[in-house]
Amino acid sequence: MTRYSRIIGTGGYLPEEVRTNEHISHTVDTSDSWIFERTGIKSRRIAGAHETASSMAEIAARQAIAVSGCDPEEIDIIIVATGTPDRVYPSTGCLLQQRLGIKNCVAFDVQAACSGSIFALSIADQYIKSGAAKKVLIVGSEICSRIVDWTDRSTCILFGDGAGAVLLAVSEETGILSTHIHSDGEYEDLLYCPNPQAAAGADEQQAGYINMRGNEVFKVAVNTLGRIVEETLDANSMDRSEIDWLVPHQANIRIIAATAKKLKMSMDQVVVTLETQGNTSSASVLLAFNEAVRDGRIQRGQVVLLEAFGAGFTWGSALIKY
Ligand code: UT7
């Protein structure tokens, strides 16, 4: 039997507080029009003081499990993608396992910055295809607002908080067609977030905030995502016209539009959540996927291309027959 990983449930969670561009323009020298024109963002959600990556992950995960109708005890592996874990350890995956009360599974985190959920999908797919696991829960959960320097206008306008989840199950029916993940550690200086407690040496930046040379990241992201699209199509001997939906990482509308153009896709076939969510890092692709499944845009049998790019640099794609 050919084993595929099939998505049997999706979920998402966004915190209550909406922080608009207008609000940010009172604290740093920026404007709603600058932010919207350069990024496509109008507002983002900000987690409350009581929330953590694992608390948000729990809500998204419970939704995905409920949709699937399966017993949580059937889950073999929990993978949480996050760059903003509750604790250095235990992993947010283990904290989520505790919250869900699942005894017999293994749980761990994946840290690939904004590409985290694609990396998690890829790992899960290998376990399922090999027969080593039957059900894998994947959650991307991020509280970016706590690692953003709210006095730095070049980064604080971009990020938001939230969690997205998918539950995968082994199936004879087609599901994930292929995944492709990459990294290149040469680009540390363009996008990084220091860990002040663990850093060695007095020169290290002390504050644990996101540092980004945005314009340089932008250029590499556009080129790299163009290449991963070709790699994914080639690997599946597929023509771009066969893709029904593009679900991209939500970093900047201009990056998303460049990838859509490469695929000769109209923006009507692209799932965009950026305007009201900003960049939720590893949560963004799963949040967008969940939204488009729930509102009926993505239908069973359609071909969906997921892609992401983030610090590391890391990048990847997943081609799915939903
Ligand atoms: O998710 C992980 C991957 N991350 C990304 O993919 C992010 C990629 N980068 C971007 O999305 C864009 O580079 C930004 C939105 C961050 C910036 O847009 P840009 O068109 O690349 O602008 P820039 O950095 O080249 O800056 C242009 C000007 C500068 O002023 P001068 O030097 O021309 O006078 C900036 O100081 O815009 C200024 N600027 C701002 N002005 C108003 C930078 N941030 C702001 C701001 N409001 N918030």
Side-chain angles (χ1 to χ4, degrees):
M1 140 187 175
T2 308
R3 292 189 201 88
Y4 288 101
S5 312
R6 202 168 154 74
I7 294 173
I8 58 164
T10 68
Y13 173 73
L14 293 165
E16 220 174 279
E17 184 188 333
V18 174
R19 192 166 296 177
T20 61
N21 293 348
E22 169 68 18
H23 178 111
I24 295 176
S25 71
H26 294 304
T27 50
V28 291
D29 182 15
T30 191
S31 64
D32 175 43
S33 58
W34 192 95
I35 301 171
F36 186 62
E37 277 160 29
R38 296 286 180 120
T39 70
I41 301 166
K42 280 210 160 287
S43 62
R44 69 288 292 142
R45 300 297 190 93
I46 305 293
H50 61 287
E51 293 184 297
T52 64
S54 74
S55 75
M56 300 196 306
E58 180 186 0
I59 301 170
R62 284 192 187 279
Q63 266 182 26
I65 295 167
V67 169
S68 75
C70 86
D71 179 348
E73 284 298 335
E74 292 167 30
I75 294 169
D76 302 306
I77 307 177
I78 296 173
I79 310 176
V80 174
T82 185
T84 51
D86 298 23
R87 301 183 184 280
V88 173
Y89 45 77
S91 69
T92 306
C94 285
L95 299 178
L96 178 61
Q97 178 185 19
Q98 180 195 76
R99 285 174 174 274
L100 296 173
I102 303 172
K103 289 275 172 237
N104 295 311
C105 77
V106 62
F108 56 90
D109 287 2
V110 164
Q111 217 290 47
C114 298
S115 313
S117 52
I118 300 287
F119 276 50
L121 277 170
S122 185
I123 295 165
D125 190 39
Q126 312 311 316
Y127 271 94
I128 290 177
K129 280 193 308 203
S130 71
K134 290 195 174 70
K135 291 203 170 74
V136 183
L137 174 66
I138 296 167
V139 188
S141 186
E142 299 280 5
I143 305 207
C144 298
S145 61
R146 294 197 190 138
I147 56 163
V148 153
D149 176 357
W150 288 97
T151 67
D152 174 10
R153 69 174 183 174
S154 68
T155 52
C156 75
I157 56 162
L158 300 172
F159 295 93
D161 302 337
V166 291
L167 185 56
L168 295 174
V170 68
S171 171
E172 284 179 45
E173 266 184 274
T174 327
I176 294 181
L177 297 170
S178 70
T179 62
H180 307 266
I181 56 174
H182 299 277
S183 54
D184 185 345
E186 286 300 309
Y187 291 95
E188 175 191 2
D189 290 349
L190 296 193
L191 179 52
Y192 65 96
C193 180
N195 179 358
Q197 285 142 302
D203 297 341
E204 273 300 327
Q205 169 122 8
Q206 283 310 298
Y209 296 135
I210 298 171
N211 284 259
M212 180 165 70
R213 303 220 301 258
N215 198 269
E216 289 164 76
V217 175
F218 185 99
K219 287 177 196 152
V220 184
V222 169
N223 288 329
T224 309
L225 290 170
R227 285 205 311 275
I228 195 97
V229 161
E230 290 202 338
E231 179 187 336
T232 311
L233 291 171
D234 285 353
N236 292 280
S237 305
M238 205 177 255
D239 187 78
R240 52 194 167 192
S241 62
E242 293 173 69
I243 298 177
D244 296 298
W245 291 100
L246 174 65
V247 182
H249 170 49
Q250 312 280 317
N252 187 311
I253 193 69
R254 292 181 290 141
I255 298 176
I256 295 174
T259 311
K261 193 171 166 202
K262 174 105 198 163
L263 284 163
K264 290 200 163 53
M265 287 175 98
S266 121
M267 286 303 279
D268 293 342
Q269 291 171 276
V270 184
V271 182
V272 180
T273 55
L274 192 64
E275 189 168 328
T276 55
Q277 295 175 19
N279 179 347
T280 57
S281 191
S282 68
S284 90
V285 170
L286 299 184
L287 270 168
F289 188 82
N290 175 58
E291 190 171 300
V293 164
R294 281 174 185 257
D295 67 21
R297 272 178 289 173
I298 296 179
Q299 297 282 328
R300 284 282 176 202
Q302 289 186 323
V303 177
V304 187
L305 177 62
L306 279 53
E307 46 85 340
F309 178 89
F313 286 144
T314 55
W315 64 99
S317 66
L319 191 68
I320 295 172
K321 188 158 188 190
Y322 181 64

